[in-house]
Amino acid sequence: MEIGSFLIVFFTVRYIRNSLQTAERFPEWDRMLTIVQYAATALLVSDVFLETDFTKWFWHLLLIGLVGAAYLLKDFRPVRNVWLAVGPFILISLFGDVVELISEDFYKSIKDIIDIAGIFAFIWLIATWLSSQKQQKALEKERLKRQQEEEQNRIIASQNAMLEQIVAERTAELTRQKEELEQTLMELKATQDQLIQREKMASLGELTAGIAHEIQNPLNFVNNFSEVSVELIEELKEERQKADRDPELEDEILTDITQNLQKITHHGKRADSIVKGMLQHSRASTHEREPIDINNLADEYLRLAYHGLRASDKSFNATMLTDFDDKLGRVSVVPQDMGRVLLNLFTNAFYATEQKRKTGLADYQPTVQVMTRRIDSENIEIRVRDNGCGIPAPVLTKIYQPFFTTKPTGQGTGLGLSLSYDIVTKGHGGELIVDTEEGKFTEFTIRLPT
């Protein structure tokens, strides 16, 4: 029984120290528990060597003291279950020793019962101990699990806070970028409007030289016929002062003056139409369609484009071939817009032939052809073909892109064909088709619904 008491004291003390972690949390109690372990060892040695029954009462005191401390002391409350495990063994051991002290005969008669009860109490102790260890492991596992969950929650909360901060920073950055992009878009739109206006003014500049040449011809006729008419009037006055007036000569002079005045009127109207065309081309488009003669419009802008290039380069020369369909009739278009399209195509055609001429090809004659055709009752087409250098295949898909140009810097805005494409397709519901072979020809076809 003493060995059992020693084992119980030893493992109970160890259980209490480990469970409560007395070395770190309760150093005073840890020292006392260590003394209890030494005392139990000393009692065991006394039992072995002294062979006295007196020490068994010290075992009872030690056990009752441990269980009482575990049950009564506040610091030991977490290990109160030690009473459930050790209590039955203490009670049976104490009961046996008290009965033996009072009546040895009676003790002998129930000794077997007390021994069996002691065995069961010891088994109960072990079972309770194992169960307690299992529960303690489960609780420790649960505590660790809860601790891990708390750590994970803390990490998640930290990550969420970090993500919220990142999202807030990213949102602020995107907002800033959005504002910058909106500002950039506004600036690009303003720049685009300026470039479009620049393209219009560039085409107007190309017209100026051609118009100067075109308007000079009728003005020369007006001046010449005016001078001749003045001379004829003087001649008529002189004839009337003669005594032998010749009525037939007077009638002939009057007829010549009348014809001169008719020619002056004709060429004056021609100059007036040129000026009106220039003003119409320079002003902003109203997008109002008018039924006009496409043949006259194409012929006029062809000559203006040609003389415009001649004014800037006296060495430039090209053959102009026209094949206009007399049955074309009047077509409803926006005159200034369609004029810009034709001027751009004619200017590009003359430019392409001039670039090919500068390569020094023998027997090369720059030629630009303009043809109009009525396809059917609802559609017409205008073809502008040149025998210039053609368009390289790699850039063919880019020619209608805004700001794309193959001309040297300063000679093109890259908006001519882009604006022309928009005017034909979006403004008039037509088509602008290109057919080309590098080094041989380029042909643009405008198809318009009538």
Side-chain angles (χ1 to χ4, degrees):
M1 189 67 72
E2 287 76 8
I3 294 178
S5 298
F6 171 78
L7 293 176
I8 291 173
V9 171
F10 183 83
F11 284 107
T12 299
V13 171
R14 183 178 178 183
Y15 170 73
I16 293 173
R17 293 180 67 188
N18 290 338
S19 297
L20 298 180
Q21 297 179 354
T22 56
E24 294 83 15
R25 299 175 59 194
F26 310 110
E28 299 270 341
W29 289 118
D30 188 69
R31 283 194 293 271
M32 294 184 66
L33 291 172
T34 303
I35 292 172
V36 170
Q37 284 183 319
Y38 289 139
T41 305
L43 283 175
L44 180 62
V45 172
S46 299
D47 286 336
V48 173
F49 292 101
L50 298 179
E51 297 183 0
T52 177
D53 293 335
F54 181 74
T55 56
K56 61 185 177 183
W57 300 104
F58 286 101
W59 286 114
H60 294 315
L61 290 174
L62 279 177
L63 289 171
I64 292 172
L66 283 174
V67 174
Y71 190 78
L72 298 175
L73 294 176
K74 181 179 179 181
D75 294 337
F76 284 29
R77 286 180 181 177
V79 292
R80 283 182 177 179
N81 57 348
V82 74
W83 165 253
L84 296 176
V86 181
F89 180 84
I90 295 173
L91 292 175
I92 293 172
S93 176
L94 183 60
F95 174 75
D97 290 338
V98 171
V99 170
E100 183 181 8
L101 180 63
I102 297 173
S103 176
E104 188 174 351
D105 292 335
F106 180 70
Y107 172 75
K108 290 179 179 180
S109 64
I110 63 171
K111 184 177 184 302
D112 293 337
I113 297 175
I114 292 175
D115 291 340
I116 293 172
I119 293 173
F120 278 107
F122 197 78
I123 293 173
W124 166 260
L125 171 62
I126 294 174
T128 305
W129 185 281
L130 293 176
S131 177
S132 176
Q133 290 291 103
K134 185 176 181 181
Q135 290 179 359
Q136 188 174 6
K137 289 181 179 179
L139 290 174
E140 181 66 16
K141 184 177 180 180
E142 183 67 22
R143 186 185 67 80
L144 291 175
K145 181 179 179 182
R146 187 166 58 252
Q147 185 178 358
Q148 290 177 353
E149 290 178 352
E150 291 175 355
E151 182 67 17
Q152 289 179 352
N153 292 335
R154 186 188 64 78
I155 294 174
I156 291 173
S158 176
Q159 290 177 345
N160 287 339
M162 187 180 299
L163 287 175
E164 289 177 358
Q165 182 180 358
I166 293 174
V167 169
E169 292 176 354
R170 185 59 178 164
T171 302
E173 179 67 16
L174 290 175
T175 302
R176 185 185 63 80
Q177 291 179 356
K178 175 176 173 290
E179 293 174 353
E180 290 180 354
L181 288 175
E182 289 177 349
Q183 180 65 26
T184 303
L185 181 60
M186 292 176 60
E187 293 175 357
L188 285 175
K189 287 182 178 179
T191 303
Q192 184 181 28
D193 292 339
Q194 293 174 0
L195 286 173
I196 290 174
Q197 185 62 27
R198 177 185 170 187
E199 174 64 24
K200 293 178 180 178
M201 295 306 296
S203 63
L204 180 61
E206 293 172 354
L207 275 177
T208 303
I211 288 173
H213 182 275
E214 283 293 298
I215 206 171
Q216 188 64 43
N217 287 335
L219 287 178
N220 288 337
F221 279 111
V222 169
N223 292 333
N224 292 336
F225 285 123
S226 296
E227 292 174 0
V228 172
S229 297
V230 170
E231 293 176 357
L232 289 175
I233 291 173
E234 293 295 329
E235 186 178 346
L236 179 60
K237 288 180 180 180
E238 292 176 359
E239 185 64 29
R240 284 182 175 181
Q241 292 176 357
K242 292 180 180 179
D244 53 344
R245 294 171 54 184
D246 187 352
E248 292 182 359
L249 179 59
E250 291 179 357
D251 291 339
E252 183 179 348
I253 293 174
L254 289 173
T255 300
D256 291 340
I257 293 174
T258 301
Q259 291 177 350
N260 288 348
L261 292 176
Q262 289 175 347
K263 292 179 180 179
I264 290 172
T265 300
H266 170 74
H267 289 289
K269 289 181 178 179
R270 171 60 183 157
D272 180 66
S273 68
I274 293 172
V275 172
K276 286 181 178 179
M278 179 183 68
L279 294 175
Q280 187 180 50
H281 184 87
S282 63
R283 69 170 61 100
S285 173
T286 60
H287 301 290
E288 294 181 1
R289 299 192 183 192
E290 301 175 17
I292 64 170
D293 189 330
I294 291 292
N295 291 338
N296 288 342
L297 186 70
D299 183 62
E300 179 177 351
Y301 276 92
L302 177 64
R303 286 184 286 106
L304 289 176
Y306 174 75
H307 290 301
L309 290 175
R310 283 274 299 169
S312 60
D313 184 3
K314 298 298 182 181
S315 65
F316 171 74
N317 196 8
T319 301
M320 294 180 289
L321 302 177
T322 57
D323 183 8
F324 296 141
D325 188 352
D326 295 334
K327 299 179 182 179
L328 197 65
R330 301 179 75 82
V331 181
S332 181
V333 297
V334 182
Q336 56 267 48
D337 285 351
M338 194 53 60
R340 289 190 181 101
V341 173
L342 292 173
L343 179 64
N344 181 69
L345 296 182
F346 295 151
T347 302
N348 286 348
F350 286 127
Y351 178 83
T353 59
E354 177 63 7
Q355 295 303 308
K356 188 174 181 178
R357 182 186 70 83
K358 289 180 178 180
T359 61
L361 289 176
D363 301 328
Y364 172 67
Q365 176 59 43
T367 304
V368 175
Q369 297 174 278
V370 183
M371 296 165 283
T372 59
R373 289 288 183 273
R374 174 168 288 279
I375 303 174
D376 51 41
S377 60
E378 297 181 352
N379 297 278
I380 63 120
E381 71 176 18
I382 307 169
R383 292 178 178 267
V384 180
R385 183 185 181 96
D386 66 75
N387 63 345
C389 51
I391 302 175
V395 303
L396 188 60
T397 58
K398 303 178 183 179
I399 59 172
Y400 296 136
Q401 293 180 5
F403 313 115
F404 177 80
T405 179
T406 57
K407 295 179 181 178
T409 303
Q411 295 190 22
T413 62
L415 288 172
L417 283 177
S418 175
L419 291 176
S420 299
Y421 184 82
D422 288 343
I423 290 172
V424 173
T425 59
K426 297 178 181 178
H428 292 81
E431 295 178 276
L432 182 59
I433 305 168
V434 61
D435 181 24
T436 184
E437 185 175 345
E438 187 174 1
K440 292 186 177 181
F441 75 93
T442 299
E443 182 177 75
F444 281 93
T445 302
I446 303 173
R447 290 179 183 170
L448 297 173
T450 58

